[in-house]
Amino acid sequence: MNVVRIGTDLIEIARIELMLEKHGNTFINRVYTKQEIEYCSNRAAASQHFAGRWAAKEAVLKVLGTGWARGIQWTEIQVVLLASGEPLVELSGKALEVARESNIDQILLSISHTKQFAIAYAMGLSGPTSSN
């Protein structure tokens, strides 16, 4: 596999907490999928998990090389967890179209957070997957 592009994002947890306080469900439903909302809302430190997914979506946008310029919606980038706990990126709509145009076949993702910050790193790959 070949690396097409990388992206990273760092966000203060307090920024997401402020958005949650000020805009509540309007913010949550605009940015997160139902599956992400369910996962984050059921965590003890929900704002840390919402922030981690925010950072992941921003990192993926950098991998796609678009920012918000090409009409990608927040909910077209979804973070799900495998049974192992590994985060997985699922794209739909315009985000998937842009990935295909960029020959991105897979996006690897890592998310981490503390009480103050959340960070995500994404790597877009092209080419056949290894069969190890």
Side-chain angles (χ1 to χ4, degrees):
M1 302 217 54
N2 298 311
V3 175
V4 175
R5 206 174 284 118
I6 62 169
T8 191
D9 192 70
L10 175 70
I11 186 163
E12 293 177 73
I13 305 297
R15 181 174 168 211
I16 296 300
E17 289 172 340
L18 181 62
M19 296 298 287
L20 291 167
E21 287 174 26
K22 285 179 82 172
H23 305 288
N25 286 336
T26 301
F27 167 71
I28 288 174
N29 292 317
R30 187 175 134 252
V31 175
Y32 304 99
T33 66
K34 289 180 183 183
Q35 187 175 359
E36 290 172 322
I37 294 167
E38 182 179 329
Y39 173 81
C40 294
S41 296
N42 289 322
R43 311 309 295 178
S47 60
Q48 292 176 10
H49 294 275
F50 280 119
R53 273 145 182 77
W54 174 285
K57 291 170 186 258
E58 289 279 0
V60 169
L61 284 172
K62 292 170 183 171
V63 166
L64 297 176
T66 62
W68 298 108
R70 303 236 349 237
I72 295 172
Q73 303 298 308
W74 285 101
T75 54
E76 293 176 350
I77 302 167
Q78 178 174 242
V79 178
V80 298
L81 294 180
L82 299 175
S84 64
E86 178 185 351
L88 178 72
V89 175
E90 292 181 348
L91 302 177
S92 62
K94 188 70 172 173
L96 180 58
E97 182 182 317
V98 170
R100 287 178 176 157
E101 289 171 3
S102 298
N103 295 316
I104 295 172
D105 301 312
Q106 180 182 7
I107 298 176
L108 300 179
L109 179 66
S110 179
I111 305 171
S112 188
H113 55 77
T114 66
K115 290 181 181 180
Q116 294 181 318
F117 298 98
I119 190 167
Y121 176 81
M123 180 184 301
L125 303 173
S126 71
T129 58
S130 174
S131 59
N132 298 11

